[in-house]
Amino acid sequence: MAHVLLQLSHTGELIVDGTPGLLPTQALVDLRALAGLPEPATEDDLDRTDTGEDPGFRMAEALRQAAAPWDQLRDRLADPKVSALVVDLAEEGLLALPWERLYFDDHAPLEVQRRAVVARLHPGPGLSERPEGPFEILRWCPTPQDQGCGRINHRMDELAHSLGIEVGAFENLVPARPFVFHVVSGGQGMQHLEPHLARGSEGRLGLVVSRCELVVLAVQDGNPQELQLLAQRFLELGAASVVVPAGAAEVEGLQRFGDGLYQGLARGATVGEAVLEGRRKVRDWGRRLRGARWSDLHWLVCCAQAAEAPPLREALW
């Protein structure tokens, strides 16, 4: 499989897989204005293409003004061999835009059409050699007294057992085989993470993160800015990729994302395909409230190649 790399500079230079173009000043202003808009209260507010108010539709209107890279992007994503769109932007505000919802026509956003999964680039040390053996889940719940965390953990344990996935605890030895680090926490759990990070890469958390294939931050009602910084810190410590909520997350949404992710990984999907499956489960849930939006579950990667990470398990069916 392959990926497409989209880059956008502070000056408005748009580059797609080496094809450059310059956005008009107003188009760049429009994108920045979108990044500064307050979040809509419901998912319905994100689905109004008839009035052109969907942010993914308006993003496309701005980007297509750089004709050459936009045509390259459209053509590359039409290639069935392309599995991921990697977004590498100079401005954090633009990186936070809902790229998963980017429109190429009037019908549906990028990920709804299943063209590719969207990954946001935050450089880290790069990919390390993957150990051999079946993968497992290493789960950590720094707020075990939280009822929502209890619901998520119970559901994930049942599902992992039914799929034949081994689940270990954070306190156990770091697995010598591939693993996914699943952090399930209430928003107040951030205070439990900070002491581990303060010890740097020599600490327990740094050791775990540096060796894992994927970190999933299933944090309810966390501070979005703090969570983004935490995800970036994990990538800097050596994680290949991180899934992190871009806003307040509901228990049911986090649980459904875990359902899709575990099922995808178990059947032999690539990491990106499993992330896409998790987001689809949230979207199919049909909830419209803020905190349940599939496009708010961002996938950050340490390098573009991480978006092409191969399956962690051979297909079972």
Side-chain angles (χ1 to χ4, degrees):
M1 303 302 283
H3 69 269
V4 179
L5 180 63
L6 182 153
Q7 298 169 290
L8 181 61
S9 72
H10 290 289
T11 58
E13 185 180 24
L14 179 65
I15 303 173
V16 175
D17 278 359
T19 300
L22 189 65
L23 287 178
T25 301
Q26 187 57 51
L28 190 57
V29 169
D30 291 344
L31 284 174
R32 287 173 175 153
L34 279 173
L37 289 176
E39 290 188 57
T42 69
E43 179 93 352
D44 291 323
D45 292 333
L46 291 174
D47 290 323
R48 294 184 289 184
T49 57
D50 57 328
T51 60
E53 293 181 11
D54 186 298
F57 194 83
R58 294 167 65 185
M59 289 163 63
E61 286 185 326
L63 293 174
R64 65 165 56 99
Q65 294 184 53
W70 175 260
D71 289 345
Q72 171 79 337
L73 181 62
R74 183 193 59 217
D75 293 345
R76 289 283 287 127
L77 288 174
D79 184 345
K81 295 180 181 178
V82 171
S83 61
L85 169 61
V86 180
V87 183
D88 178 17
L89 306 183
E91 300 179 26
E92 286 292 332
L94 297 183
L95 197 61
L97 285 170
W99 293 93
E100 296 80 3
R101 306 186 66 92
L102 187 63
Y103 274 72
F104 289 89
D105 51 44
D106 296 345
H107 302 297
L110 171 65
E111 286 201 7
V112 175
Q113 296 183 47
R114 294 175 177 268
R115 290 196 188 185
V117 62
V118 170
R120 291 166 172 78
L121 182 64
H122 183 85
L127 296 175
S128 55
E129 185 176 353
R130 178 182 289 179
E132 296 183 357
F135 87 99
E136 68 176 273
I137 304 291
L138 193 64
R139 193 171 318 124
W140 184 31
C141 184
T143 54
Q145 72 284 356
D146 186 281
Q147 292 184 355
C149 292
R151 286 168 52 196
I152 295 173
N153 285 327
H154 179 69
R155 169 60 184 162
M156 295 299 98
D157 283 341
E158 285 188 334
L159 181 61
H161 178 73
S162 70
L163 295 170
I165 302 173
E166 186 173 335
V167 178
F170 174 67
E171 295 76 17
N172 295 350
L173 292 174
V174 179
R177 56 189 184 178
F179 68 95
V180 172
F181 186 37
H182 197 170
V183 181
V184 179
S185 175
Q188 71 276 21
M190 295 292 293
Q191 61 185 325
H192 296 276
L193 296 170
E194 290 172 358
H196 293 273
L197 288 174
R199 290 194 289 269
S201 59
E202 299 303 317
R204 170 70 179 174
L205 187 57
L207 180 62
V208 168
V209 167
S210 68
R211 297 186 184 179
C212 71
E213 300 291 328
L214 171 68
V215 179
V216 179
L217 292 173
V219 180
Q220 315 157 47
D221 301 322
N223 179 288
Q225 288 74 32
E226 290 182 356
L227 285 173
Q228 289 292 320
L229 290 173
L230 179 62
Q232 292 172 10
R233 176 64 175 143
F234 281 177
L235 291 168
E236 291 164 1
L237 287 172
S241 64
V242 182
V243 171
V244 56
E250 292 188 0
V251 169
E252 184 73 10
L254 294 171
Q255 185 171 288
R256 287 177 179 269
F257 177 80
D259 285 353
L261 181 78
Y262 281 29
Q263 290 167 358
L265 293 174
R267 73 163 185 269
T270 66
V271 175
E273 289 168 343
V275 170
L276 190 63
E277 181 67 14
R279 290 202 279 230
R280 186 190 66 79
K281 287 279 189 179
V282 178
R283 187 172 66 250
D284 290 349
W285 176 27
R287 287 274 292 189
R288 300 297 186 180
L289 298 176
R290 181 188 296 170
R293 291 204 298 262
W294 60 273
S295 55
D296 278 352
L297 292 163
H298 290 178
W299 186 35
L300 279 60
V301 294
C302 70
C303 60
Q305 290 71 30
E308 303 173 31
L312 296 175
R313 186 182 197 177
E314 293 184 4
L316 296 182
W317 59 83

